């Protein structure tokens, strides 16, 4: 029977016809297929709105679950950890079904926040002295909840109604722009404020009964009932058992006008729009619109190599995480050894940071216990002893050295050293650290189109500062002007995500700039790993601040010219009259005989 099916498959391929449906049978066991863990993100709400705030930020979330015994994971971040804390802390109002457990994480944990929740809430840190958490009886209807918030706080910065999210990412933006008041809209896109993570549930996998299959195929079909503002979709493909002898092929299909950013290099790609994969542009392919035609296209192109085809339908997604797998001949079970837990922890908790001067390595403090180490001296750089061995810093083990000590050396834009973990005389872990120093470039512009860079700030106009940096994971990102003994912090907006760097925009709107020819613009960007040591990159420029509206520095206007001209005329007329008066008096006196000799 299998031989007959293979013959039919080859005949259909040669004749260019569609394959019979019976050649792709639904998969009965889904437990070993990682694609069922796929998830998507988007900024679409059931209802939502934004509003301008002048005094206090107020964020309202109405999150409803079908399963009442659910957990709402809420990650709250404020991308301004380096800025001064406002006198009035932001307010976050959350209502859910009764019995839903709220768990909060994120950088905002460390700063003053007022949280009002209809049930019980807990943060990721037991130590939260700056948080004011209270349980409040809140309306479950969005319209009533919005009116309640306005009645209690006068203004609402952001409102969102969500259904069955897996995780919610809320960014407290300190953005005073937007509509005057928050008015609910159906299917509102909360771009740059909210990201919602959902599991993908519309997944179907069928098995192709080939004799010697060597690869899997995945089809991601994204449709947008409510088109998103950005027509770029991010796809993160992870291979759970790679590298592959025959990498999987991923088909990406969406409406016309959408493009793709793909993060993985060991896959085949066929996309309906232009796509970018590891800095390489991939032109668009023509793909059919329906599920059945997409599956038939994948079968036809895959031929006798196919083992399975997985079809995923996603609505209104801006990001998809797609776990895939290679076809392996025989699954190999690797016996667990005591060192495996140690190595896993070392690999998962190890981070490196560097700048022009230093190299810092951190790992979990649990390494000492899990790896059965006797002393911090068992963890060191290539050179042992003294400052080259590990130290503890809160919940982390940290090693820090300059780029020339502990046998560190610089090679181009990288600082290189080796990390050793020993148990007695036995080296149980060795890793070459090659830390690439983040780049930072600062330019000043006097127009928002970012043309013609300058080093002059105009005090009566908005000046823009563009900072390009390769430091993606950061906790501090700021630019300020040092004028004498005064430091002015520039306003910061959301970054533009480029292929290999972030482009941040700062401006001087609302700042009072004193006129000077000796100001210094300084920008600082620091790593965002949760360890007590800072590692930052800096860039500064000597700039001049001018005030073109100052009469002492601007040119003479028409009014000034006319005034000076009239004044000169008036003085000339008076001088002429005076001279004429003297002349006439002298002439009259000279005619008197008493004056003659």
């Amino acid at each position: 029977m299998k031989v007959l099916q293979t013959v039919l498959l080859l005949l259909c391929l040669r004749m260019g016809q569609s394959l019979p449906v019976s050649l792709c049978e639904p998969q009965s066991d889904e437990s070993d297929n990682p694609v069922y863990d796929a998830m998507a993100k988007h900024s679409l709400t059931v209802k939502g709105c934004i509003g301008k705030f002048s005094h206090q930020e107020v964020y309202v979330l109405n999150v409803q679950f079908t399963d009442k015994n659910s957990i709402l994971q809420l990650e709250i971040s404020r991308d301004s950890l380096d800025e001064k804390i406002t006198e009035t802390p932001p307010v976050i109002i959350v209502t859910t079904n009764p019995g839903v457990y709220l768990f909060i994480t994120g950088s905002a944990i460390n700063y003053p926040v007022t949280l009002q929740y209809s049930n019980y809430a807990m943060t990721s840190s037991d130590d939260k002295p700056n948080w004011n958490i209270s349980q409040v009886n809140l309306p479950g209807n969005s319209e009533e909840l919005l009116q309640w918030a306005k009645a209690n706080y006068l203004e609402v910065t952001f409102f969102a109604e969500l259904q069955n999210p897996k995780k919610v990412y809320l960014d407290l933006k300190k953005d005073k722009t937007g509509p005057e008041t928050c008015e609910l809209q159906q299917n509102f896109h909360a771009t740059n404020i909210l990201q919602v993570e959902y599991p993908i549930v519309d997944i179907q996998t069928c098995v192709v009964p080939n004799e010697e299959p060597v690869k899997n195929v995945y089809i991601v079909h994204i449709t947008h009932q409510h088109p998103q503002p950005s027509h770029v979709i991010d796809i993160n493909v992870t291979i759970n058992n790679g590298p592959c002898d025959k990498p999987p092929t991923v088909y990406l299909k969406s409406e016309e006008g959408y493009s793709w950013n793909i993060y993985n290099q060991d896959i085949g790609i066929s996309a309906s729009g232009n796509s970018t994969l590891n800095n390489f542009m991939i032109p668009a392919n023509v793909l059919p619109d329906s599920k059945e035609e997409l599956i038939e296209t994948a079968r036809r192109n895959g031929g006798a190599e196919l083992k399975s085809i997985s079809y995923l339908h996603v609505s209104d997604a801006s990001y998809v995480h797609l776990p895939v797998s290679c076809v392996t001949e025989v699954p190999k079970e690797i016996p667990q050894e005591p060192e495996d837990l140690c190595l896993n922890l070392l690999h998962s908790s190890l981070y490196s940071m560097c700048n022009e001067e230093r190299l810092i390595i951190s790992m979990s403090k649990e390494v000492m216990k899990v790896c059965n180490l006797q002393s911090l001296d068992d963890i060191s750089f290539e050179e042992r002893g003294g400052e080259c061995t590990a130290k503890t810093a809160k919940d982390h083990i940290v090693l820090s050295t300059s780029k020339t000590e502990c046998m560190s050396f610089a090679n181009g834009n990288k600082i290189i050293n080796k990390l050793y973990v020993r148990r007695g005389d036995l080296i149980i872990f060795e890793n070459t650290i090659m830390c690439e120093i983040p780049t930072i470039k600062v330019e000043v512009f006097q127009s928002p189109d970012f043309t013609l860079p300058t080093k002059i700030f105009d005090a009566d106009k908005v000046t823009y500062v563009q900072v390009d940096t390769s430091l993606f994971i950061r906790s501090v990102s700021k630019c300020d002007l040092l004028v004498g003994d005064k430091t002015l912090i520039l306003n910061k907006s959301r970054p533009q995500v480029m292929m290999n760097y972030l482009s941040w925009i700062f401006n001087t709107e609302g700042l009072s700039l004193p006129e000077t020819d000796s100001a210094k613009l300084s920008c600082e960007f620091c790593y965002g790993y949760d360890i007590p040591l800072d590692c930052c990159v800096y860039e500064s420029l000597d700039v001049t601040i001018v005030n073109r509206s100052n009469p002492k520095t601007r040119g003479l206007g028409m009014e000034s010219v006319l005034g000076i001209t009239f004044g000169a005329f008036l003085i000339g007329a008076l001088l002429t009259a005076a001279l004429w008066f003297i002349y006439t008096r002298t002439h009259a006196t000279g005619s008197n005989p008493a004056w003659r000799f």
Side-chain angles (χ1 to χ4, degrees), residues 19 35 75 106 223 559 575:
L19 300 178
V35 76
E75 182 173 315
T223 56
E559 297 85 354
L575 286 173

Coordinates of all heavy atoms in Angstrom, one line a residue, residues 19 35 75 106 223 559 575:
L19 N -2.4 17.0 -4.8 CA -2.3 15.7 -4.2 C -3.5 15.2 -3.5 O -4.3 16.1 -3.0 CB -1.1 15.7 -3.2 CG 0.3 16.0 -3.7 CD1 1.3 16.0 -2.6 CD2 0.7 15.1 -4.8
V35 N 5.3 22.5 18.0 CA 4.6 23.6 17.4 C 3.3 24.0 18.2 O 2.8 25.1 18.1 CB 4.2 23.2 15.9 CG1 3.0 22.2 15.9 CG2 3.8 24.5 15.1
E75 N 3.3 42.2 33.2 CA 4.7 42.7 33.3 C 4.6 44.2 33.0 O 4.3 44.7 31.9 CB 5.6 42.1 32.3 CG 7.1 42.6 32.4 CD 8.0 41.8 31.5 OE1 8.0 40.5 31.5 OE2 8.8 42.4 30.8
G106 N 8.4 43.1 36.4 CA 8.8 44.2 35.5 C 9.6 45.3 36.3 O 9.6 45.3 37.5
T223 N -4.0 36.5 9.4 CA -5.0 37.3 8.8 C -5.3 38.5 9.8 O -5.2 38.3 11.0 CB -6.3 36.6 8.5 OG1 -6.7 35.9 9.7 CG2 -6.0 35.5 7.4
E559 N 12.3 97.2 11.8 CA 11.9 98.2 12.7 C 13.1 99.0 13.3 O 13.1 100.2 13.4 CB 11.1 97.6 13.9 CG 9.7 96.9 13.4 CD 9.9 95.5 13.0 OE1 11.1 95.1 12.9 OE2 9.0 94.8 12.7
L575 N 20.7 119.6 14.5 CA 22.0 120.2 14.3 C 22.0 121.3 13.2 O 22.6 122.4 13.3 CB 23.1 119.2 13.9 CG 23.5 118.2 15.0 CD1 24.4 117.1 14.4 CD2 24.3 119.0 16.1

